[in-house]
Every structure is written in C-alpha cells, then in structure tokens.
Amino acid sequence: MSTNSIDSLLHESRRFPPSAEFAANAVAKPELYDAAKADRTNFWAEQARELLHWHKPFTQTLDWSNPPFAKWFADGELNVAYNCLDRHVLAGNGERVAIHWEGEPGDSRSVTYAELTAEVKRAANALAALGIGQGDRVAIYLPVIPEAIVAMLAVARLGAVHSVVFGGFSAESLRSRIDDANAKLVITADGGWRKGKVFPLKPAVDAALSGAATSVTNVLVVKRGENDVEWTEGRDLWWHDALAAADAEHEAQGFEAENPLYILYTSGTTGKPKGILHTSGGYLAQVAFTHKNVFDLHPATDVYWCTADVGWVTGHSYVVYGPLANGATQVMYEGTPDTPHPGRWWELIEKYKVSIFYTAPTAIRSFMKLGREIPDKFDLSSLRVLGSVGEPINPEAWIWYRDAIGGGTAPIVDTWWQTETGAIMISALPGVTSLKPGSAQTPLPGIKIDILGEDGTRVDPPQGGLLVVSEPWPAMLRGIWGDPERFKETYWSRFSTEGDYKYFAGDGAHVDQDGDIVLLGRVDDVMNVSGHRLSTQEIESALVSHPIVAEAAVVGAADETTGQAVVAFVILRSDQEKAQTAEEASTILRAHVAEQIGAIARPRQVFVVSELPKTRSGKIMRRLLQDVAEGREIGDTTTLADSSVMQIISDKLK
Ligand code: PRX
C-alpha cells in the first residue's frame, strides 16, 4: 500500500454510529467487552456453556501448559453435528428452514432443520458402513450444494476429520491433499454448475487417484451435473444409493472437545500448502459467538447469506458451523454472481429477503465497476447488516457497499481473521461500535491483539507494525497436520519469548489516532487474490516444473478489482528461446499453472525476461519486480549483484 493511501486511511474522519433503534435491539452489548476484560478465560467458558450443548460439561477452560499447543474445554465432550442439528429439532425448531439453496440454472430447494438432521443421520450411517470412524480423514471435493454441508456434518457426527478441497483446485492439488492427510474416502459429484456450464469434478478425482497407490478405498459420488462419469467398480458408489441403503436413525455420541474436526489446506510462504488443523469445542464456541454477535443474528427472523464457497475457511465457519450452531436460516448459491445476468445476487436477496449479507471486497469492487443501475433494479430493503472479509476494503468500496447495497443505513462489519484463527478476531460489533470506513477497528471481546515493531516492542499510533495475537483463543489452529515443527516455526518463533507466546499472523497493520486497527496486507510471500491466499513460491514451483522454463519469479501486483493479481517473470531455457514467441510462452505457462494448481492461481501476466534481479547471495528481489509489475519507478537497486538488470527488464517490458 502506498504511503499516501495509508495516510488517508489513518485520517479517515467519517463515522457512522449505530441508530438508537438498532442499538436497542442489538444482540451485542457493550458489557461484552467489560466481561471479557474482567476475566478472559471465564468469558469464553460462559460463551461455550451458553451457546453449545455439552454431552459432558467441561470443568477446565484453557490448558496452556505446553505452548504453543493449546487445549480448550479439554475434559468436556460434545458432538459438533448434534449442536448444529438435533438440538434445534428437539427445541421445536425442526420446521425452520436451514438452507434455501439456489442452483445456478435456477433450480432450488429449501431444507428444514428436521430434513437436514435426517439426511445427516443417514449419511453418517452410510459413511460408517464404509468404515469411517473417529479420527479417519475424509476428503470432500464438491460444488456449493446442500450435500457439501451434509457430508461435512456426517463426518463430524462420527468424530472423523474432513478435509474439504475447493472444487476449483486441480487433480494435482487434490492428490497432494489426499496424500498428506491419508484420506480413506473422497466425496465428490458428477459436476456442478458454473458460468452457465457444468464443470467436471469426478475426472479430477479419477486422475488424482490414478498412479501410485493411495490411501483412498472409496469414492462417493453425488449426482448433480448429470455428466457421464467413468466408474471404478468396487471403489465408486453413488451417494444417493449409499444413503438409501443406510439406516435412518443415528444417535450422536459425544467426543472430546479437542477431537479434530477438520484439516483445511492453505498457502504459506513455501511451495507446500499446510494442513491447518481445527478441533471441536473451542472452534464451535468461537464461530457461534462471532456469528451471533458480529452479524447481530436474530435466528427466528433473519435470513443470512455468506457468499463464500464451502471450500474456503469462510465457508467452514460462516456457511456451515457458525450459522447452523446458531439455528440460522441461510441462503446458499451454487454459481457465479453474473450468471445468467449481472444482477443475480441482488435477485436472490430480493427473492429470499436476505437480511444479513457477508461477502468479499473483490466482489463489491467488481459490482461498483458495473454501476449502481444493476442493484437499483432490485428490492434490497430487507438488508440490515453487511459484512466484508478476506482483504482490506478501501473506504470508497465501503461507502458504495453501504449506499448502493445497504440503503445508506446498514452497518458494515469489516471482519479480519484467517484460516488459522478459525473465527473472526477483529471486527466492529453492530449496535455497539461507531463504524469507520477502511478499518476492521477493534479486537473482539476475549481477543488480545498487539501491533509490534520488528524488534518486538509495541508500537504507538500512528506507527505501523506487525499484527500478533497475544493470548490463546478458542478457535485457534491446533497445529499443522503432521508437522509440529513447522507450526512452531511459522507462527510462534518470531515474537515469542520464554513464557510469553505470541502468534504472528503475517499481516502488517497500523493503529490510528482513535486506537482503531487498519490492516495493510501480508508482509510475507503470500498473495491475496480476490480474497484467496496464494503462495508466490507455489506458483514459481509450478512454472519451473514446465520444461520450457529455466527460472521464475512471481509477485502479487496491486489490482483495482482483485486486490492483488499474480504476475510472473520467467527465463526460458536457452534452447527454447527461439522455439516460441514470448506471447506463446505466456499462453502455455498461464494454462500450465491453472492445470497444476487451479484456475485461481493462473497468472494475470507472464513476462519473458532474460535476467532476474538477484542479490549477491542469489536471492531474487521480488520487491523490484513488483515495482515493474505495478508500473512504478523502480526502487533501490544498490544491493543487486548486477544493477543494470532492472533497466534491461523494464526496457524490454516497455
Ligand atoms: O491478509 C489477511 C487477509 O486474508 C488473510 C487470511 O487469508 P485466509 O486464511 O485465506 O482467510 C481469508 C478469510 C478469513 C489475512 O492474513 N484478510 C482477511 N480478512 C481481512 C484481511 N485483510 C484485511 N482486512 C480483512 N478484513
């Protein structure tokens, strides 16, 4: 971010206090901050008791005797799926709609809590019949359809562990995730709808499971896309057949609060994605607490919609676990926002009278570009709370969101969190906080955040620094699957001292003159493209795996719509330089990255260069490449081994 824009963010003077009426009816009260301040761990214990059903109540709240490995509510037992389903039915809310699902072609289904519970019971029995039990890993590779939720909850009901892989990831990415977690079962579909077409999923599963022996014994296939699929007898089963054959009754058993719930892979600074591990009790308590208070949820009357794909953490915490634990009614939409027309999202808000809407700044900015006429055609008056997640939201987009979508009155909560934090950590509370555009503002009650300088001391406003979480929190990751050393090294080595553990988030942040937190983006080699995390190194590895490439460097360049975009610089092998034009090489390599990782990682541009800027010790200076990619004047080149390299590169690209 440029110094100019930080400056204007830090001096943002607009304030939007809650109306008296909103504050009077708000779920969150200012006293939450006082209670958490008075006794942080007890505050979380109270939330966990109030918001969840415990098969066996806990007596211990936090065990931090072996940092950075935390245990929350360790002697308690619960069943995550029971908390999301059965108890709502038993409380008399079985007829409440859990999911208003809308397929991209316009087909729709509304599923009540009673129906969802019944389906998950059958699915749990079907999985158990395939040998799935406590601790087993199940990979889920599905479109945004109700079966994705059913599959996740069925796995959770058995005390097993799901690993959801976003349907846009390639066969290669799926395979590496299956292998890393040693998954026994894959749940997929015969396709899903996207941009007016059925995209295949089953062929990617088949490709992923071909070749070397795998841990997978069965593949369950949901019928959705009506695509013809290849069938491996003995391994593949139709989901509907397996459920029809399964018993309808299933009693949920309690599992320890620290029983693993899921693994979710995310990009780090190395080429290999890390399997972030979340467990049950603490995670569910914090997602339920945040979903209720940050979105001002009134479960009997609100209709909530989070547009995230279930393949990302936002889908896990705020499509599946938070809303269902709270007994909310939600909308789930399979397709893209612009299919079959650019007003599709607004049409759905009108159709289902959505009152709480949660999406990413990239989407807001692309709608802004299309103009207000599109949302203006629809009745959006049901909306009363808006949320933003995944990347910084610039004040201009914030104001547009509030005016064009929120009727000029709906509060916006800018929620900062990560795959690793499991749940929202920094956000305003609607009805309590006076809102400020461009700032995530305040750590939630029970969350301790600090901004530190490089030397580990706290910085005072208006200085910038690095964001850390200074106390353990209930939904925190419990580790990286199979790699405790990497867990310690990645998150806890930078600022922790003996007896004082601090989690380093990888984000830069400022505190402004009012004490509000302004997020500035990643400080490591992680890019954020449309709110999705990508690693520069992972894309570089994909590029050099192509036979025409000798060397590659990737940077995240500022992009008006997507926040950042992937820009690659490659040196071709000498025998390849004449074999194709730079343009041909770029086309080949963009496709290659999409095939290796997934379409989300496809570079916006691939530049063929003859040199890369390196220090004397051989380290590529990505910062200088970023200057070129962003069309800026090139920064200090004095540490380069050959300072003329940047001139050659920028001349060539001109
Ligand atoms: O850089 C921060 C950014 O997204 C990163 C986390 O990415 P991921 O694990 O994929 O989770 C995304 C959804 C929670 C963070 O390190 N980020 C997330 N929310 C915000 C944000 N940056 C600024 N403002 C936010 N509200």
Side-chain angles (χ1 to χ4, degrees):
M1 207 179 284
S2 72
T3 327
N4 248 345
S5 47
I6 297 172
D7 235 42
S8 61
L9 274 176
L10 293 180
H11 293 97
E12 172 63 59
S13 57
R14 287 167 286 190
R15 297 290 180 281
F16 299 88
S19 70
E21 192 196 343
F22 196 106
N25 296 314
V27 171
K29 301 286 176 220
E31 293 76 40
L32 283 175
Y33 292 104
D34 305 329
K37 212 167 168 189
D39 188 340
R40 213 181 67 84
T41 42
N42 186 52
F43 169 79
W44 284 118
E46 278 176 4
Q47 296 305 330
R49 282 192 198 103
E50 187 187 309
L51 295 167
L52 305 182
H53 169 87
W54 293 86
H55 271 66
K56 178 178 164 234
F58 57 89
T59 62
Q60 301 159 5
T61 301
L62 169 65
D63 177 356
W64 192 230
S65 58
N66 180 30
F69 300 94
K71 289 184 183 161
W72 283 86
F73 318 123
D75 64 342
E77 286 178 11
L78 79 169
N79 185 292
V80 170
Y82 180 92
N83 271 283
C84 294
L85 302 164
D86 312 49
R87 67 167 168 147
H88 303 314
V89 179
L90 294 171
N93 293 322
E95 294 315 305
R96 184 184 293 167
V97 171
I99 310 166
H100 285 298
W101 176 76
E102 181 93 6
E104 196 187 76
D107 48 338
S108 64
R109 256 163 85 185
S110 289
V111 187
T112 64
Y113 272 93
E115 289 164 344
L116 192 63
T117 306
E119 189 137 331
V120 170
K121 285 181 174 178
R122 271 189 190 278
N125 284 325
L127 298 192
L130 295 174
I132 301 301
Q134 185 179 8
D136 288 330
R137 274 82 61 204
V138 176
I140 297 176
Y141 188 62
L142 284 172
V144 179
I145 53 178
E147 285 79 0
I149 293 185
V150 174
M152 290 163 78
L153 291 178
V155 171
R157 194 174 183 92
L158 296 171
V161 185
H162 57 70
S163 162
V164 182
V165 179
F166 170 58
F169 277 124
S170 65
E172 297 255 348
S173 299
L174 175 63
R175 172 72 194 233
S176 69
R177 286 157 172 78
I178 288 172
D179 285 351
D180 188 72
N182 267 303
K184 258 191 174 170
L185 173 72
V186 180
I187 306 177
T188 188
D190 63 346
W193 286 87
R194 224 188 112 76
K195 296 196 178 167
K197 287 199 288 261
V198 175
F199 66 94
L201 285 159
K202 177 70 166 49
V205 175
D206 292 334
L209 299 183
S210 68
T214 90
S215 47
V216 172
T217 48
N218 289 103
V219 177
L220 272 175
V221 188
V222 178
K223 222 179 182 53
R224 163 63 189 149
E226 303 294 338
N227 262 344
D228 282 336
V229 289
E230 304 240 334
W231 210 249
T232 302
E233 286 305 329
R235 184 195 72 183
D236 299 350
L237 295 156
W238 286 109
W239 167 268
H240 57 265
D241 288 341
L243 262 68
D247 204 356
E249 249 333 296
H250 184 275
E251 198 183 331
Q253 172 197 338
F255 294 97
E256 288 176 0
E258 286 297 339
N259 193 54
L261 177 61
Y262 68 81
I263 305 168
L264 184 57
Y265 288 83
T266 189
S267 298
T269 51
T270 72
K272 188 174 175 264
K274 25 186 195 187
I276 302 300
L277 175 67
H278 284 290
T279 60
S280 305
Y283 172 79
L284 199 64
Q286 194 179 333
V287 295
F289 169 79
T290 49
H291 181 257
K292 180 178 158 197
N293 287 285
V294 172
F295 298 113
D296 191 47
L297 179 76
H298 294 75
T301 49
D302 273 317
V303 178
Y304 164 86
W305 182 18
C306 165
T307 63
D309 190 292
V310 288
W312 305 104
V313 76
T314 309
H316 283 58
S317 299
Y318 298 106
V319 175
V320 184
Y321 293 110
L324 297 177
N326 289 333
T329 294
Q330 69 176 317
V331 170
M332 188 182 194
Y333 171 57
E334 178 186 34
T336 49
D338 52 357
T339 308
H341 60 81
R344 189 65 198 276
W345 276 10
W346 319 128
E347 180 183 68
L348 291 177
I349 289 176
E350 178 179 290
K351 175 173 173 184
Y352 293 106
K353 301 201 169 21
V354 172
S355 54
I356 307 171
F357 183 62
Y358 191 31
T359 195
T362 290
I364 299 161
R365 287 190 294 263
S366 51
F367 287 123
M368 237 172 112
K369 260 200 206 155
L370 295 175
R372 254 190 95 139
E373 314 78 80
I374 296 171
D376 279 353
K377 285 195 204 111
F378 299 89
D379 177 7
L380 306 182
S381 60
S382 53
L383 286 172
R384 52 175 212 91
V385 178
L386 302 175
S388 170
V389 61
E391 38 175 335
I393 175 163
N394 46 311
E396 196 194 354
W398 197 102
I399 296 287
W400 189 87
Y401 194 22
R402 182 180 161 97
D403 287 345
I405 309 302
T409 53
I412 298 177
V413 284
D414 174 4
T415 62
W416 178 89
W417 59 294
Q418 308 177 295
T419 306
E420 291 87 341
T421 68
I424 299 169
M425 303 290 276
I426 306 175
S427 170
L429 288 178
V432 178
T433 318
S434 185
L435 303 168
K436 185 192 288 181
S439 161
Q441 299 194 281
T442 321
L444 288 179
I447 300 297
K448 179 91 170 65
I449 302 282
D450 282 304
I451 313 295
L452 306 181
E454 293 284 340
D455 62 355
T457 54
R458 219 165 269 136
V459 299
D460 291 318
Q463 263 175 288
L466 303 170
L467 188 113
V468 299
V469 189
S470 312
E471 298 283 354
W473 65 103
M476 67 195 281
L477 76 166
R478 297 303 196 267
I480 294 178
W481 185 257
D483 203 343
E485 280 314 309
R486 190 174 174 196
F487 170 60
K488 289 194 226 170
E489 174 57 33
T490 310
Y491 303 108
W492 304 94
S493 62
R494 178 108 187 225
F495 293 115
S496 299
T497 52
E498 189 64 37
D500 185 17
Y501 275 74
K502 287 184 162 54
Y503 167 90
F504 173 48
D507 277 39
H510 258 281
V511 183
D512 70 9
Q513 70 276 15
D514 305 319
D516 283 326
I517 298 174
V518 176
L519 275 308
L520 302 176
R522 303 287 306 191
V523 295
D524 52 14
D525 291 334
V526 170
M527 293 171 284
N528 190 328
V529 179
S530 306
H532 298 317
R533 245 162 99 165
L534 295 169
S535 139
T536 50
Q537 275 205 28
E538 196 182 350
I539 301 176
E540 286 168 5
S541 305
L543 286 166
V544 295
S545 75
H546 196 281
I548 65 172
V549 176
E551 271 193 85
V554 165
V555 296
D559 184 284
E560 243 183 52
T561 308
T562 59
Q564 284 189 309
V566 180
V567 176
F569 296 82
V570 297
I571 302 179
L572 298 183
R573 282 180 195 273
S574 49
D575 58 339
Q576 291 293 331
E577 276 167 11
K578 300 213 167 58
Q580 57 259 305
T581 63
E583 208 170 308
E584 284 161 353
S586 159
T587 309
I588 294 169
L589 294 174
R590 290 181 66 236
H592 177 69
V593 173
E595 194 189 295
Q596 290 281 305
I597 303 175
I600 42 161
R602 191 199 319 265
R604 183 184 72 186
Q605 288 152 304
V606 176
F607 294 117
V608 175
V609 293
S610 51
E611 306 264 3
L612 287 171
K614 288 185 186 156
T615 61
R616 268 165 226 112
S617 59
K619 195 172 171 295
I620 295 174
M621 293 195 67
R622 293 200 183 84
R623 175 174 59 75
L624 298 175
L625 292 172
Q626 197 163 14
D627 290 341
V628 178
E630 293 180 352
R632 252 196 319 270
E633 197 170 315
I634 294 161
D636 185 5
T637 57
T638 48
T639 52
L640 286 182
D642 172 1
S643 59
S644 65
V645 166
M646 284 317 297
Q647 199 52 51
I648 298 170
I649 292 177
S650 63
D651 286 351
K652 180 157 183 199
L653 301 189
K654 270 177 202 146

